[in-house]
Amino acid sequence: DGSIIGGSATSTDDYVVLKAYSSDPDDVTLGNVLNVVVNSAAGTLIYADGEVVGTIADVGDDDLFIIAPTVSGGEYVTLGDVIIRSTADNAGNGEGDVVGISVDAGGNVYVDTGTGADVEGVMIDAGGSVGVGVAIAYDDTLETWVVDTATQGNTMNIIGGSIHSGDDVLLNAREQIDGIHVTAVNDIDANAGTGIVNIGLVSIAGDITATTLLGNIVDSTFVTKGADGTVILEAVADDGEIDGDEVVSVSDITVTAGSFIIDGMYVSEAGSVALTSQNQSIIETDVVSKTSFAVLNAAQYINDADVTAADYVALNADLDVTNTSVLAGSYVTVNGWNNTQVRSV
């Protein structure tokens, strides 16, 4: 019924466990692990009823578990996996957040929060996969904390920071993903409830998928470098927009918005480019398919677009195609009208 403050805990050939309990949830001086240095040869569990703040842990080649109502700051190094789970519900005072942590792991890294809380300013370098906003729960039978990447966690917002992964990256936010930069060897999957803003996703050998159920995908960059790397962007809601984004992909690019697609750049080195505005227009957008075709579909207008493709270009607007420049290596189709002799408009 107290806190662990300062000092160090070292095991040269076994496990380290730090636990701080509190009998009074209203007493903020109890149940904390603060500014402790941990060195272990075979993994570590840090459990607190209060906060884990500013802890430095080097845990050899085994796993590190950090379970506390709030996790803030700290540096965590292991050749194994890292599982961080904040457990407090956010009552508007920052409780339940995971903030400002630095993780260097040889294995996988998984992070989730309490209900309504955020992951903010995290720096993660992992040899394996990274999942933020994935379900993490205690299994009574296994007597350990278990990760379920197929189930969304509690994380409300993912804000800032950076992730480097030697495998896949999964980001789940019930509201926004904002300002984070991700580089992964394989696939990147970003899922937001209310919007994706100012993020950068780079996949070396995999695919990128970014989806928001409500809101927009805005001012973000998506790059795939692998031979089969595709990019899929989706703003699912009827009024969802995809605006000001830059996409460079070796393979196919598919962009679907419920509403406007505005002021973007979409370049495919060896695949096709397909843009669809389901209820509105495509405006001031640059499209390049260096070896394949390009298709633009709009429920209203295609206006001020610039489209280049090595094969054909198809422009389909339920109303008008206006002030749009097209250069096709094969032919141009406008609202179903096709003349194989026309290669530019």
Side-chain angles (χ1 to χ4, degrees), residues 165-187:
S165 168
D167 200 345
D168 300 330
V169 173
L170 173 60
L171 305 177
N172 291 327
R174 294 187 176 273
E175 289 187 350
Q176 286 201 0
I177 302 174
D178 186 352
I180 192 169
H181 293 270
V182 177
T183 300
V185 171
N186 293 317
D187 297 343

Side-chain angles (χ1 to χ4, degrees), residues 177-304:
I177 302 174
D178 186 352
I180 192 169
H181 293 270
V182 177
T183 300
V185 171
N186 293 317
D187 297 343
I188 303 174
D189 190 0
N191 304 286
T194 61
I196 295 173
V197 180
N198 190 32
I199 70 170
L201 307 183
V202 179
S203 172
I204 306 302
D207 303 324
I208 294 175
T209 302
T211 304
T212 182
L213 299 179
L214 300 172
N216 310 320
I217 301 176
V218 179
D219 292 336
S220 296
T221 302
F222 307 90
V223 178
T224 62
K225 297 183 177 182
D228 299 319
T230 63
V231 176
I232 298 175
L233 306 183
E234 296 178 304
V236 176
D238 288 346
D239 59 352
E241 298 186 15
I242 298 180
D243 299 337
D245 300 297
E246 295 186 1
V247 178
V248 179
S249 178
V250 175
S251 191
D252 298 339
I253 298 171
T254 305
V255 178
T256 305
S259 186
F260 289 99
I261 298 174
I262 300 176
D263 193 27
M265 182 189 75
Y266 306 93
V267 179
S268 175
E269 299 291 335
S272 62
V273 181
L275 309 183
T276 300
S277 169
Q278 295 175 320
N279 299 296
Q280 267 293 344
S281 303
I282 300 173
I283 300 172
E284 295 182 351
T285 296
D286 296 334
V287 174
V288 178
S289 174
K290 294 184 179 180
T291 63
S292 189
F293 63 86
V295 177
L296 279 65
N297 303 304
Q300 295 195 20
Y301 298 94
I302 298 173
N303 184 43
D304 286 330

